[in-house]
Amino acid sequence: NMKIILKHQFFCDIEDETTSKLCREIAHDEKEEARQYKIEQDMKLRKSTLDKRTENLSLVSSETQLKLELSQWKSLQSAYDLSQVTFPTSCIVLPYELEKNASGDLRTPARNTAIAYKLGLTIA
């Protein structure tokens, strides 16, 4: 019967404390879920942006590879778990522009190898 249906709490303006508390909890949970979703989306966007802006060098000389293994960065990696880092923790501004070789890999221009060598020694 319609009178019974209209007497249900859903249709009444009067709320008891239990119903009010439940509604507040639901609203709080929804806000928290939306906040978490926004954080996840922001992290995905940051990672995507970083991936687009990152170049990988495919060829590294044995000497450079050894220096990298002995570098402060490698020491830091072994001391802390940095596998989940999705943002740069440091940045190196080169005093020259990298160029691409025939296969599309980045490399130091021949005219700047002496500077690159000195920079590598300084960093290592």
Side-chain angles (χ1 to χ4, degrees):
N1 166 332
M2 190 55 95
K3 284 185 180 183
I4 295 172
I5 293 172
L6 292 174
K7 287 183 182 180
H8 189 274
Q9 285 184 340
F10 180 80
F11 299 105
C12 295
D13 290 336
I14 302 170
E15 291 184 7
D16 63 358
E17 185 58 34
T18 306
T19 305
S20 296
K21 183 179 177 184
L22 181 61
C23 288
R24 284 192 303 271
E25 288 175 3
I26 290 171
H28 178 268
D29 291 348
E30 287 176 346
K31 285 180 184 177
E32 181 62 24
E33 189 175 319
R35 188 181 73 78
Q36 287 294 331
Y37 179 77
K38 182 169 179 7
I39 289 171
E40 289 173 13
Q41 294 305 310
D42 288 347
M43 291 300 289
K44 285 179 183 177
L45 179 61
R46 285 182 184 174
K47 184 176 181 339
S48 171
T49 301
L50 181 62
D51 288 346
K52 288 176 188 174
R53 296 174 58 193
T54 301
E55 298 276 353
N56 293 317
L57 300 175
S58 59
L59 297 175
V60 178
S61 71
S62 300
E63 183 180 343
T64 304
Q65 190 171 5
L66 179 61
K67 287 179 183 178
L68 287 172
E69 288 297 319
L70 299 174
S71 71
Q72 293 173 353
W73 171 249
K74 193 65 174 180
S75 299
L76 181 66
Q77 277 186 317
S78 63
Y80 302 100
D81 178 21
L82 300 177
S83 61
Q84 298 299 318
V85 174
T86 59
F87 57 91
T89 55
S90 63
C91 181
I92 299 174
V93 178
L94 300 174
Y96 51 85
E97 189 173 341
L98 296 174
E99 64 184 19
K100 291 188 178 186
N101 63 13
S103 62
D105 296 323
L106 290 175
R107 67 178 202 88
T108 303
R111 65 186 178 280
N112 294 320
T113 53
I115 297 171
Y117 180 76
K118 287 179 184 177
L119 182 63
L121 289 176
T122 303
I123 293 171

